[in-house]
Structure formats: C-alpha cells, structure tokens
Amino acid sequence: MSFQVSGKVAVVTGGSSGIGLETVRLLLEQGAYVAWCGRDAARLQDSWQAMAVIFEPDRLHIRCCDVLDADAVNAFIDEVAQRFGGVDMLINNAGQGKVASFADTSDQDWMTEVQLKYFSVLNPVRAALPYLRQSPIASIANVNSLLAYKPEPHMIATSAARAGLLNLSKGLSKEFVDMGIRVNSILIGMVESGQWQRRYQERSDPDQSWDDWLAGIARKRGIPMGRLGKPIEAARALVFLASPLSSYTTGSVIDVSGGFSQEI
Ligand code: NDP
C-alpha cells in the first residue's frame, strides 16, 4: 500500500541514525522529497551518502544543525522550503534519553532534559508552521516514549519531560486543527538504535554478542514480544501518522512497544 507521500516534502529531525534514518529511507522509498538534520557533520554526511546511492540526490537535503538552536532550525527549514517548494510533513525525532534517578539528577540535568524534550519540538514547529499552513496534507509527527505514561525511576527526568511533551502535542493538535495541521505521536518502548549501540559498548561482559545482549534486556524488562523493536518498525508508524493515510487522526498516539504498555 502506498503512503500517498510521493512528491510531498518531509523534514525529519535527527535523521542521521536509528529511527530517524529509517524514517528518511521509508519516505524516500515512497517518493517524497526528504530533508534531515543532525549535529555530527560526519555522521550526517554518511547518512546522505547511504541514501544517495539508492535514491535521486535531487530529492535529498541535509543540514548540520542542533534542533535546540532556533536560528539554525529556521535557516534549515527556510532553505528546505525554498529548494523543494514548501513543507508538508514535519517529523520531530531528534533527541536522546537521560539515565539517572532522582538522587543522581542535578537541577542543571532537569533543565537540560526539559529543554531538549520541549524545544526539540517547539523550534522546528515554529520554523515549519508558515509552510505547513500552506500544505493540503500538513502533519506533524512526534517521537515520544512510553515513559510519558509509565515513568521509570532510573529515567526520572526523561519520563517527566516525556509526559509534558505528550501534553504539548495534544495542545498543539487542538490549536492547529483549524489550520488543517494534524499533530500526532508515537510512543516507543525500546528500539534497537544508536542509543542502545552506545549502551552495548559499555556492557559488563565484553564477550556478549549484540543479539544476546538485546535478548537479555528484553527478558529482564519483560517485553511481551520478547525483543526490542527495530528502527523501521517505529519509522512505519511515524510515516503513517505523517502521511494522508491517517487523514482523520489528530491529537493521537500509536504505541510501538511490543506489548510493553500496561494501559488499556
Ligand atoms: P539514535 O541515537 O540512533 O538517533 C538520534 C538522532 O538524533 C541522531 O541522528 C542524532 O544525531 C540526532 N540528534 C540528537 N540530538 C540532536 C539535536 N539536539 N539536534 C539535532 N539532532 C539531534 O537514537 P534513536 O533513533 O533511538 O532516537 C530517536 C528518538 O527516539 C530520540 O528522540 C529518542 O529519545 C527517542 N527514543 C528512543 C528510544 C529507543 O529505545 N531507541 C526509547 C524512547 C525514545 P547527532 O547525535 O549527530 O545530532
């Protein structure tokens, strides 16, 4: 089935790795024009090279920028709109979580985490809004986490900030509905991506393989489907929410957690 995004323009923040990169790939497979950003220039360039050997470079656009830098985000999105003629879909994916309990989280850590979760969405939304208002299929899809519903003590600041982001997404969906802009989120559990690769590098048993290490986490955490998610599984839900296939859905969430959510 087609996602009906051929010829449409998508912006994916944090598109150089993991879920973001799979989202970029899927949108390109579906015929969209895709722009993405990341902070690390070499990693971003590598992701462009990987896409450019498969897809027409005319449909690819990258810019090295931190989503917390409002001026840089404005410049990125203006440049995309000028090059591709507008912005139809904004996918807010850039970010990372902070593993720390209450005892280990300083005031500065709290500020950093709240700033990341809110402004990684607010800055791109502000920048893209004038263009989204012109689009007949305008949509914003935010990557969020099951932590928004289900706080974990070892990620206390991330959990609280994620809950705020979920509330913010709902609020934006209400404010933007009259502009014809839909706003939705995915709630992910654990997805094997760059963040988990970095944690694997710090594993206690250096002889343990990646697959065994992941299987151990799934077992220990009690994920009903018995494994972590793949980045493409999160990407499919994101592209569905960003695309006209979900044209009657706003202010909503899709759970991509392998059954880890206990909510009904
Ligand atoms: P990855 O580390 O593989 O990818 C993160 C991407 O975001 C990279 O391209 C990174 O590039 C970019 N990025 C991070 N911070 C910024 C920033 N400030 N400005 C611009 N780009 C940024 O991890 P995931 O694919 O797992 O992460 C995607 C999203 O999913 C994140 O928001 C993460 O918090 C969320 N998430 C992931 C979970 C998981 O289990 N994987 C669980 C819950 C939520 P660079 O570092 O070069 O900037």
Side-chain angles (χ1 to χ4, degrees):
M1 183 193 277
S2 157
F3 282 92
Q4 301 172 6
V5 296
S6 183
K8 302 297 183 188
V9 179
V11 171
V12 181
T13 67
S16 58
S17 168
I19 295 166
L21 183 55
E22 286 308 310
T23 304
V24 166
R25 190 194 312 272
L26 182 54
L27 285 161
L28 288 167
E29 278 169 12
Q30 293 289 318
Y33 290 77
V34 185
W36 67 102
C37 68
R39 295 164 303 176
D40 184 299
R43 182 161 40 188
L44 187 64
Q45 189 59 39
D46 286 351
S47 68
W48 188 90
Q49 295 289 359
M51 296 300 108
V53 294
I54 311 171
F55 306 105
E56 310 91 296
D58 284 0
R59 290 197 288 123
L60 321 181
H61 189 92
I62 54 170
R63 183 181 176 105
C64 194
C65 90
D66 186 331
V67 286
L68 298 182
D69 180 342
D71 291 341
V73 173
N74 283 333
F76 167 51
I77 292 189
D78 287 348
E79 171 181 284
V80 174
Q82 271 179 18
R83 179 168 173 209
F84 292 151
V87 175
D88 299 296
M89 295 165 278
L90 170 64
I91 297 178
N92 290 310
N93 162 76
Q96 60 193 26
K98 175 149 191 72
V99 178
S101 67
F102 177 72
D104 298 330
T105 307
S106 67
D107 286 358
Q108 187 53 52
D109 290 337
W110 278 100
M111 297 302 285
T112 302
E113 196 55 9
V114 168
Q115 187 192 24
L116 175 63
K117 296 300 178 287
Y118 283 23
F119 284 89
S120 64
V121 170
L122 292 172
N123 287 337
V125 166
R126 280 211 184 98
L129 197 56
Y131 304 110
L132 290 170
R133 290 183 77 152
Q134 306 297 318
S135 168
I137 64 143
S139 176
I140 298 169
N142 295 326
V143 173
N144 205 331
S145 161
L146 206 54
L147 294 171
Y149 284 161
K150 194 172 180 272
E152 296 276 359
H154 72 285
M155 294 185 80
I156 192 163
T158 297
S159 299
R162 287 289 187 199
L165 175 59
L166 190 59
N167 189 293
L168 171 63
S169 300
K170 187 75 169 180
L172 291 177
S173 76
K174 289 178 179 294
E175 184 163 339
F176 294 171
V177 72
D178 290 339
M179 301 177 198
I181 304 170
R182 298 182 300 106
V183 185
N184 293 290
S185 309
I186 64 165
L187 296 184
I188 51 184
M190 284 159 263
V191 172
E192 34 178 288
S193 63
Q195 298 195 55
W196 289 97
Q197 296 272 4
R198 289 190 288 278
R199 289 177 202 169
Y200 174 67
Q201 303 306 328
E202 291 158 15
R203 67 197 177 281
S204 49
D205 174 3
D207 294 331
Q208 198 173 24
S209 71
W210 169 241
D211 287 343
D212 286 350
W213 184 78
L214 287 175
I217 290 171
R219 226 177 7 255
K220 192 166 143 203
R221 302 300 300 279
I223 301 173
M225 289 184 72
R227 64 176 177 85
L228 274 69
K230 306 279 182 199
I232 184 63
E233 294 174 309
R236 286 191 202 115
L238 272 177
V239 174
F240 169 72
L241 288 175
S243 79
L245 280 195
S246 63
S247 53
Y248 198 50
T249 301
T250 193
S252 186
V253 299
I254 293 181
D255 175 317
V256 188
S257 72
F260 196 50
S261 169
Q262 300 300 313
E263 275 69 38
I264 294 170

